[in-house]
Amino acid sequence: ERSGKEERSSRKISIIVTMLWEVTKSDAFKKSVGVAFVKVDRNNSGTIDKDEMTLAMCHFVFQLSKRIPGIAEVPTRSEVDDFFDEFAGPGKTEMNLEEFERFVAEWVKRNSSNFLALVSTGLAMNFVVIPACAGVLKREVDILHRVPKALICMGLTLVAKKVMESLQRD
């Protein structure tokens, strides 16, 4: 029998997965997926194959990571191939945009625990750590006394983003 703590934890995860699933239905999500699809459909066939699928997923995750550094890991070709076979069914080698939207939505749903941890980290950075650091800098660095805290936060956010990008490259 599950403890009350396990039940609450399970319920929270269920709510978050539901929220993420709702996000995948948003216009912004569909636009991001559509941009990735069009970027790799170089022959304008209206479909992408497994090779293009890997590139599209890389593009999608890269664009997502630009908004929230470290939010998701780029899936390997093998992971995309395996998920493609499972998602599309036997013998299928290509997907159209609508199928790709469902594919990416399902990928997000399946990877939501890592996605959630990274979103939480990103939110903590943006709403707790960076503002606290900006306050200390504003107080302790003479030249920053007259600079608005919001501007210091923006600068720290850019620095944090560059640090995350360099860590991802290494």
Side-chain angles (χ1 to χ4, degrees):
E1 193 168 302
R2 294 166 60 164
S3 71
K5 187 176 181 179
E6 288 174 328
E7 288 286 334
R8 286 188 302 276
S9 179
S10 177
R11 176 82 177 125
K12 287 177 186 175
I13 290 170
S14 175
I15 290 168
I16 290 161
V17 168
T18 301
M19 288 169 49
L20 286 172
W21 192 247
E22 290 302 315
V23 166
T24 64
K25 295 177 184 176
S26 72
D27 289 338
F29 180 85
K30 289 180 180 183
K31 181 178 180 184
S32 296
V33 172
V35 167
F37 184 90
V38 169
K39 228 11 161 184
V40 301
D41 183 21
R42 294 202 172 138
N43 62 359
N44 296 319
S45 66
T47 61
I48 56 175
D49 60 23
K50 282 186 182 182
D51 292 333
E52 293 170 320
M53 175 74 67
T54 302
L55 292 174
M57 289 299 291
C58 290
H59 181 77
F60 174 76
V61 170
F62 177 73
Q63 293 304 316
L64 190 60
S65 294
K66 280 175 45 179
R67 292 194 179 105
I68 306 173
I71 188 75
E73 300 222 357
V74 176
T76 65
R77 179 186 178 105
S78 173
E79 290 170 332
V80 172
D81 284 352
D82 290 347
F83 190 56
F84 182 98
D85 292 341
E86 180 185 332
F87 183 84
K92 186 139 178 156
T93 60
E94 296 181 328
M95 283 188 190
N96 62 30
L97 176 57
E98 187 177 302
E99 292 167 322
F100 182 61
E101 283 176 2
R102 288 194 309 269
F103 177 89
V104 176
E106 184 64 26
W107 179 80
V108 166
K109 184 178 176 185
R110 287 188 184 191
N111 293 285
S112 60
S113 61
N114 185 45
F115 189 79
L116 169 63
L118 292 167
V119 166
S120 299
T121 301
L123 290 173
M125 285 294 293
N126 287 325
F127 294 108
V128 177
V129 176
I130 289 175
C133 290
V136 170
L137 286 172
K138 185 171 177 64
R139 228 181 14 257
E140 301 295 329
V141 179
D142 290 334
I143 198 166
L144 296 177
H145 287 299
R146 293 188 194 113
V147 177
K149 187 176 174 184
L151 189 58
I152 298 170
C153 285
M154 287 173 48
L156 288 172
T157 300
L158 291 172
V159 169
K161 184 176 179 179
K162 290 298 179 187
V163 167
M164 291 299 292
E165 288 172 358
S166 71
L167 290 173
Q168 287 176 341
R169 282 192 297 266
D170 295 340

